[in-house]
Amino acid sequence: MTIEAVKVYQDLKGENDRWSVEIRRLLAGPRLLMLNLIGSPGSGKTALLEATAPAMGDGTRMAVLEGDVATTRDAERIRALGVPASQLLSGGACHLEARLVHAALADLPLAELDAVFVENVGNMVCPAEFDIGEHAKVAVLSVAEGEDKPLKYPLLFQEAQAVVVTKTDLAAVLGTDMAALRGHLEAVHGGIPVFELSARTGEGLEPWLDWVRARVKALRG
Amino acid sequence: MTIEAVKVYQDLKGENDRWSVEIRRLLAGPRLLMLNLIGSPGSGKTALLEATAPAMGDGTRMAVLEGDVATTRDAERIRALGVPASQLLSGGACHLEARLVHAALADLPLAELDAVFVENVGNMVCPAEFDIGEHAKVAVLSVAEGEDKPLKYPLLFQEAQAVVVTKTDLAAVLGTDMAALRGHLEAVHGGIPVFELSARTGEGLEPWLDWVRARVKALRG
């Protein structure tokens, strides 16, 4: 990158970070948890939310902001469950910008919610670089993607405060080496909580739900 | 984006496009085909190249440029097959820039090659926006990623001149709706050649090899 390009990248990040501050202000009043789900296209982010919403129970009232380059398919999937969902279209951009998230949050009944899940644009690289005012980034990785992804895309796994490994019901047929995957995650971010689950069968969902519930409770005090 | 950010994005693209011109000049002398493989992390780009290299036969002498954010694992996998391979590390960037590709090409014995395959950084969004002087972009999508990806990430499939649908041996167990996937590809880019194959079993590989061979032959006249 040229020096000028670096400077404007920093300007873009600065603009983004100013909106992140505004988002934190919006969330602080109602003590609302916001999680930023980041993973490749097809890693199973929407399916994770579809499994999470009904299982969370009435104790945790949730809403979803669905980020995509194009289409409103994911928001429709979530709304079909009776969960408030807004679709954020990035208009070709490879990540969600905080300004867009702020505008969508302002449309939600924040005082009536406990947790907002943001599903970022399907991409392991760029969304990891942008703060959108979330309390935690959560990396979502399917067993179909290969064990080496934490090594090859380290920033996401370093920035994340938890990893959800999805589609574990397919690990045997895909021949995924789960021990190698766990080892790579530990090498990139020692001690990070890893939730291995299948959204399709529901197996392994409970520890992930408990982690979310504990984060909500920590905010409420 | 601010107006200044748009201007510098254009500067970056302009700088990139100038290097693309230099790459086309490098390729023109030896009439060398360059294909730019783009797909998500774990879509099977490296496995496709591992299956392609030995099957291509001596008639097509190939080399590989492996783009990644970090690690040299993919280049090592290709070199293990006796195919010349260089690792390009994007240094955190979400796509390969033409300047980097140009420098790596200049290190290859271009006059002794027929085709160079560039494996871009695992990402369906950003690499689709950047010309690296290739003759064609090839979209790589695994059956594990979901049928709707052409609709949700349309630019890649519009820019590509061929689509390789990988891991077809897993379609049944994954429940992939292949007819829906084909319909979505046709909706986004009518008439685009689609190669459905399994790099693991070799099934469906031949039409893809024929397409590459025909592109090499077209350049050689």
Side-chain angles (χ1 to χ4, degrees):
Chain A
M1 282 208 270
T2 60
I3 289 172
E4 191 187 7
V6 171
K7 179 189 166 302
V8 172
Y9 180 71
Q10 288 168 341
D11 286 353
L12 251 180
K13 297 268 282 192
E15 162 84 0
N16 190 76
D17 290 347
R18 280 190 291 280
W19 282 104
S20 297
V21 170
E22 293 300 320
I23 288 174
R24 289 202 169 83
R25 203 167 289 165
L26 270 185
L27 300 173
R31 298 184 178 191
L32 182 57
L33 175 70
M34 190 167 100
L35 299 177
N36 181 5
L37 271 57
I38 303 177
S40 290
S43 58
K45 299 180 293 301
T46 314
L48 174 65
L49 292 172
E50 285 176 310
T52 299
M56 192 63 85
D58 292 339
T60 309
R61 301 159 303 168
M62 60 182 271
V64 173
L65 301 182
E66 283 289 343
D68 263 310
V69 174
T71 84
T72 58
R73 298 168 72 94
D74 284 354
E76 289 158 19
R77 284 170 62 181
I78 299 295
R79 276 192 218 113
L81 299 166
V83 172
S86 296
Q87 186 78 48
L88 311 186
L89 293 181
S90 72
C94 52
H95 63 97
L96 288 179
E97 287 177 24
R99 187 172 49 169
L100 196 63
V101 174
H102 182 271
L105 273 178
D107 279 342
L108 289 175
L110 300 183
E112 298 164 21
L113 295 171
D114 300 299
V116 175
F117 293 79
V118 180
E119 180 180 333
N120 219 307
V121 175
N123 183 336
M124 279 183 117
V125 186
C126 318
E129 297 174 26
F130 286 82
D131 179 8
I132 54 168
E134 72 277 341
H135 293 93
K137 290 181 172 70
V138 176
V140 181
L141 176 73
S142 92
V143 299
E145 293 175 59
E147 302 84 2
D148 59 355
K149 295 305 169 292
L151 302 180
K152 293 171 70 175
Y153 302 90
L155 182 67
L156 169 58
F157 298 93
Q158 285 156 358
E159 291 284 324
Q161 293 187 31
V163 179
V164 178
V165 178
T166 60
K167 309 189 190 184
T168 53
D169 53 317
L170 299 172
V173 67
L174 291 165
T176 310
D177 183 342
M178 296 298 289
L181 175 56
R182 286 176 205 127
H184 295 330
L185 286 169
E186 188 64 25
V188 168
H189 188 157
I192 190 170
V194 177
F195 303 104
E196 301 176 4
L197 58 85
S198 165
R200 187 155 66 170
T201 68
E203 197 178 343
L205 197 60
E206 204 55 41
W208 154 249
L209 300 175
D210 284 343
W211 184 82
V212 175
R213 290 183 190 118
R215 306 281 312 207
V216 168
K217 203 173 163 198
L219 272 181
R220 293 291 159 91
Chain B
M1 284 208 266
T2 62
I3 288 172
E4 192 187 4
V6 170
K7 178 187 168 303
V8 173
Y9 179 71
Q10 287 167 344
D11 286 353
L12 252 179
K13 297 267 281 189
E15 162 84 2
N16 189 76
D17 289 348
R18 280 190 292 279
W19 282 105
S20 297
V21 170
E22 294 300 320
I23 289 175
R24 289 204 170 81
R25 204 167 286 165
L26 271 184
L27 300 173
R31 297 185 180 189
L32 181 58
L33 175 70
M34 190 168 101
L35 300 177
N36 180 5
L37 272 56
I38 303 177
S40 289
S43 59
K45 297 180 294 301
T46 313
L48 174 65
L49 292 172
E50 285 176 310
T52 298
M56 192 64 85
D58 292 339
T60 308
R61 302 160 300 169
M62 61 182 269
V64 172
L65 301 182
E66 283 289 343
D68 263 310
V69 174
T71 85
T72 58
R73 298 170 72 94
D74 285 353
E76 289 157 20
R77 283 170 62 181
I78 299 296
R79 276 192 218 113
L81 298 167
V83 173
S86 296
Q87 186 79 48
L88 310 185
L89 294 182
S90 74
C94 53
H95 63 96
L96 288 179
E97 286 178 24
R99 187 171 51 172
L100 196 63
V101 174
H102 182 271
L105 273 179
D107 280 341
L108 289 175
L110 300 184
E112 299 165 22
L113 295 172
D114 300 300
V116 176
F117 294 79
V118 180
E119 181 180 333
N120 219 306
V121 176
N123 184 336
M124 281 184 116
V125 185
C126 317
E129 296 174 26
F130 285 83
D131 180 8
I132 55 169
E134 72 278 342
H135 293 92
K137 290 182 171 71
V138 176
V140 182
L141 177 72
S142 92
V143 299
E145 293 175 60
E147 303 85 2
D148 57 355
K149 294 306 169 289
L151 302 179
K152 293 171 70 177
Y153 302 90
L155 183 67
L156 169 58
F157 298 92
Q158 284 155 359
E159 291 284 324
Q161 293 187 31
V163 180
V164 178
V165 178
T166 62
K167 309 191 190 182
T168 53
D169 54 316
L170 299 172
V173 67
L174 291 165
T176 311
D177 183 341
M178 296 299 288
L181 175 56
R182 288 176 204 128
H184 295 330
L185 286 169
E186 188 64 26
V188 168
H189 187 156
I192 190 170
V194 177
F195 303 105
E196 301 176 5
L197 58 83
S198 165
R200 186 155 68 170
T201 68
E203 197 178 343
L205 198 60
E206 205 53 43
W208 154 248
L209 300 175
D210 284 344
W211 184 84
V212 175
R213 290 183 190 117
R215 305 282 313 211
V216 169
K217 204 174 164 197
L219 271 181
R220 293 290 160 91

